[in-house]
């Protein structure tokens, strides 16, 4: 499990294979300060890093959700 230097969780590998709803709820439970963005796999997204955003790649969670 990845954590930032302040101890806050930054990745959720345990969510791969979960439903979108389950993933969003778990991330919000762990880090209510973050904005969870649902993104279909294959979508074009911007490359800027946003430390307040977690992208959840879907059908089901297809990639490890992480800040950036």
């Amino acid at each position: 499990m990845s954590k930032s230097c302040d101890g806050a969780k930054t990745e959720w590998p345990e969510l791969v294979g979960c439903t979108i709803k389950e993933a969003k709820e778990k991330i919000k439970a762990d880090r209510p300060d973050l904005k969870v963005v649902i993104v279909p796999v294959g979508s074009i997204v911007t490359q800027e890093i946003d430390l307040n955003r977690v992208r959840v790649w879907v059908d089901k969670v297809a990639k490890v959700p992480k800040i950036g």
Side-chain angles (χ1 to χ4, degrees):
M1 165 175 38
S2 294
K3 293 190 175 191
S4 64
C5 54
D6 66 0
K9 195 165 182 180
T10 60
E11 294 186 356
W12 291 262
E14 71 276 13
L15 297 180
V16 174
C18 290
T19 66
I20 297 164
K21 182 178 184 230
E22 291 168 334
K24 190 170 185 176
E25 288 174 354
K26 175 62 175 156
I27 293 167
K28 290 304 270 182
D30 289 344
R31 293 287 306 273
D33 57 311
L34 298 176
K35 180 173 79 170
V36 179
V37 179
I38 307 303
V39 183
V41 171
S43 295
I44 296 172
V45 296
T46 59
Q47 296 297 309
E48 86 279 354
I49 294 179
D50 180 348
L51 298 179
N52 296 308
R53 174 191 65 214
V54 175
R55 288 184 176 137
V56 179
W57 299 89
V58 297
D59 264 340
K60 291 192 175 199
V61 179
K63 294 184 180 180
V64 174
K66 57 185 172 183
I67 293 176

